[in-house]
């Protein structure tokens, strides 16, 4: 009888120990699902300041009422200058690590912030940003991401760099999913050179009355230096 009770007590002690150990074990915490690229892109686009939004509205207004100028970027620069902005056409060039020579042009606008001790902020205006990231045979996910990217971009160097990093990462995933080689000119370092190359010249754009209201003359005026590289 005593032996039987001893065995029962021992069994109960073992059960109590197991239950106690299980109750003190940490509850597994499920990791949050990774944020979708499209959601991240929307967050970046929503970071636009009031000044950036106002400038974008002006650029879109110019485009809607411009007709068909000979050079879109030069026309926008000229209109911005007429409205009192310090706007320039920037032409970049570079030689990549794999020996490929590239060049690109975009608009930059220098904005004086009266609230920050007259600090000057450099804004980039790209009239066709979306096309720079288009891929052949994109996945549906990448296609949706590209469609969420505006054609006309106005923003700081920092915001543009975030977009470049995000889109290049998504492009890499799209190409890999389709078993396609990732060309070096689709990598972030190469894409950054389009807007952030140290070899960048500002070009003065002036109205040439003899060629009509949508024409311009170009004259090299100064170098521009990106602030984030």
């Amino acid at each position: 009888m005593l032996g039987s009770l001893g065995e029962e007590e021992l069994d109960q002690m073992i059960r109590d120990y197991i239950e106690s150990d299980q109750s003190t074990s940490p509850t597994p915490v499920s990791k949050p699902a990774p944020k979708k690229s499209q959601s991240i892109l929307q967050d970046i686009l929503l970071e636009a300041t009031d000044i950036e939004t106002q400038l974008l509205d002006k650029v879109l207004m110019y485009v809607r009422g411009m007709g068909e100028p000979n050079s879109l970027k030069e026309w926008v620069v000229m209109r911005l200058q007429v409205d009192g902005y310090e706007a320039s056409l920037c032409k970049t060039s570079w030689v990549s690590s794999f020996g490929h020579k590239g060049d690109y042009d975009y608009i930059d606008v220098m904005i004086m912030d009266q609230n920050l001790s007259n600090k000057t902020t450099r804004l980039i205006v790209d009239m066709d940003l979306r096309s720079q990231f288009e891929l052949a045979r994109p996945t549906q996910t990448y296609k949706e991401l590209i469609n969420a990217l505006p054609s006309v971009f106005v923003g700081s160097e920092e915001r543009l760099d975030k977009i470049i990093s995000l889109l290049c990462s998504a492009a890499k995933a799209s190409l890999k999913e389709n078993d396609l080689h990732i060309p070096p000119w689709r990598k972030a370092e190469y894409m950054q050179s389009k807007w952030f190359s140290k070899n960048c010249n500002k070009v003065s754009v002036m109205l040439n009355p003899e060629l009509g209201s949508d024409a311009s003359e170009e004259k090299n005026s100064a170098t521009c230096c990106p602030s984030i590289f």
Side-chain angles (χ1 to χ4, degrees):
M1 182 71 174
L2 289 174
S4 176
L5 287 173
E7 290 177 0
E8 291 177 0
E9 290 175 353
L10 180 60
D11 290 342
Q12 184 62 47
M13 289 175 63
I14 293 173
R15 285 195 296 271
D16 291 344
Y17 174 78
I18 293 174
E19 291 174 359
S20 174
D21 183 62
Q22 289 177 340
S23 64
T24 57
S25 298
T27 304
V29 179
S30 58
K31 294 182 179 180
K35 202 169 186 179
K36 291 184 177 180
S37 295
Q38 193 168 342
S39 177
I40 297 174
L41 176 60
Q42 289 301 324
D43 288 345
I44 296 172
L45 296 176
L46 289 173
E47 291 175 1
T49 64
D50 291 341
I51 292 175
E52 292 170 5
T53 302
Q54 292 168 10
L55 184 57
L56 175 61
D57 289 342
K58 276 191 173 292
V59 171
L60 294 176
M61 179 185 68
Y62 300 153
V63 173
R64 283 194 297 268
M66 69 181 180
E68 296 184 2
N70 293 334
S71 176
L72 176 62
K73 297 183 184 73
E74 293 170 357
W75 169 262
V76 171
V77 169
M78 185 188 69
R79 290 298 305 272
L80 285 169
Q81 291 174 347
V82 169
D83 282 346
Y85 288 95
E86 185 182 340
S88 304
L89 184 64
C90 291
K91 292 182 177 288
T92 58
S93 60
W94 65 94
V95 178
S96 66
S97 58
F98 54 94
H100 182 269
K101 293 182 179 180
D103 60 82
Y104 194 68
D105 53 87
Y106 60 90
I107 299 167
D108 85 343
V109 181
M110 305 304 292
I111 301 291
M112 186 77 73
D113 193 334
Q114 303 294 338
N115 297 323
L116 294 175
S117 302
N118 293 330
K119 178 184 176 182
T120 301
T121 300
R122 181 174 184 255
L123 298 183
I124 291 177
V125 179
D126 195 294
M127 301 305 297
D128 195 13
L129 182 66
R130 184 188 299 160
S131 68
Q132 303 307 311
F133 297 94
E134 291 177 349
L135 289 179
R137 294 171 54 192
T139 60
Q140 184 61 33
T141 299
Y142 189 77
K143 190 182 297 184
E144 291 174 357
L145 182 63
I146 284 293
N147 288 338
L149 185 67
S151 292
V152 179
F153 170 82
V154 174
S156 65
E157 294 173 326
E158 289 78 11
R159 277 211 304 139
L160 178 56
D161 190 42
K162 289 180 184 179
I163 291 174
I164 294 170
S165 298
L166 176 67
L167 268 293
C168 287
S169 177
K172 179 179 178 180
S174 177
L175 290 165
K176 277 191 171 182
E177 188 172 332
N178 286 328
D179 295 323
L180 295 173
H181 173 68
I182 303 170
W185 55 87
R186 284 298 181 186
K187 295 182 179 180
E189 182 180 0
Y190 184 91
M191 295 296 289
Q192 287 167 338
S193 297
K194 293 186 176 186
W195 298 275
F196 306 133
S197 171
K198 294 294 185 182
N199 188 11
C200 177
N201 290 315
K202 287 190 176 184
V203 176
S204 296
V205 178
M206 299 173 291
L207 180 65
N208 185 340
E210 296 181 0
L211 299 178
S213 61
D214 61 351
S216 63
E217 292 180 342
E218 297 182 7
K219 181 181 179 182
N220 289 331
S221 59
T223 58
C224 51
C225 185
S227 61
I228 64 173
F229 285 95

